[in-house]
Coordinates of all heavy atoms in Angstrom, one line a residue:
M1 N 90.6 112.7 17.7 CA 91.9 112.5 17.9 C 92.7 112.0 16.5 O 92.0 111.0 16.0 CB 92.2 111.5 19.0 CG 93.6 111.3 19.5 SD 93.7 110.1 20.7 CE 93.8 111.1 22.3
L2 N 93.6 112.5 16.1 CA 94.3 112.2 14.9 C 95.0 110.7 15.0 O 95.3 110.2 13.9 CB 95.4 113.1 14.5 CG 94.8 114.6 14.1 CD1 95.9 115.5 13.9 CD2 94.0 114.5 12.9
E4 N 93.8 107.9 16.2 CA 93.0 106.7 16.5 C 93.1 105.5 15.8 O 92.9 104.4 16.2 CB 91.5 107.1 16.5 CG 91.1 108.0 17.7 CD 89.8 108.8 17.5 OE1 89.4 109.0 16.3 OE2 89.2 108.9 18.6
E67 N 101.1 112.1 24.8 CA 100.9 113.4 25.1 C 101.8 114.0 26.2 O 102.3 115.2 26.1 CB 99.5 113.6 25.5 CG 99.0 115.0 25.7 CD 97.5 115.2 26.1 OE1 96.8 114.1 26.4 OE2 97.0 116.2 25.9
T126 N 101.2 116.9 17.2 CA 100.9 118.3 17.5 C 99.9 118.6 18.5 O 99.4 117.6 18.9 CB 100.3 118.8 15.9 OG1 99.0 118.4 15.9 CG2 101.2 118.6 14.8
P127 N 99.8 119.8 19.0 CA 98.9 120.0 20.0 C 97.4 119.5 19.6 O 96.7 119.1 20.5 CB 98.9 121.6 20.3 CG 100.3 121.9 19.9 CD 100.6 121.1 18.6
E128 N 97.1 119.7 18.4 CA 95.8 119.2 17.8 C 95.6 117.8 17.9 O 94.4 117.2 17.9 CB 95.4 119.8 16.5 CG 95.4 121.4 16.4 CD 96.8 122.0 16.5 OE1 97.7 121.3 16.0 OE2 96.8 123.0 17.0
S129 N 96.7 117.0 18.0 CA 96.6 115.6 17.9 C 95.9 114.9 19.0 O 95.3 113.8 18.9 CB 98.0 115.0 17.8 OG 98.7 115.4 16.7
F130 N 96.0 115.6 20.2 CA 95.5 115.1 21.4 C 94.1 115.6 21.7 O 93.6 115.3 23.0 CB 96.6 115.3 22.5 CG 97.8 114.6 22.1 CD1 98.9 115.4 21.7 CD2 98.1 113.3 22.2 CE1 100.2 114.9 21.3 CE2 99.2 112.7 21.9 CZ 100.3 113.5 21.3
V131 N 93.5 116.3 21.0 CA 92.1 116.8 21.1 C 91.2 115.8 21.0 O 91.2 115.1 20.0 CB 91.7 118.1 20.4 CG1 90.4 118.5 20.6 CG2 92.7 119.2 20.6
K132 N 90.5 115.4 22.1 CA 89.6 114.3 22.1 C 88.3 114.7 21.4 O 87.7 115.9 21.6 CB 89.2 113.8 23.4 CG 90.4 113.1 24.0 CD 90.2 112.6 25.4 CE 91.4 111.8 26.1 NZ 92.6 112.6 26.0
A133 N 87.7 113.7 20.5 CA 86.5 114.1 19.8 C 85.3 114.0 20.8 O 85.3 113.3 21.8 CB 86.2 113.2 18.7

Side-chain angles (χ1 to χ4, degrees):
M1 187 184 263
L2 295 175
E4 289 171 329
E67 186 172 18
T126 65
E128 296 79 29
S129 302
F130 301 101
V131 175
K132 292 177 177 50

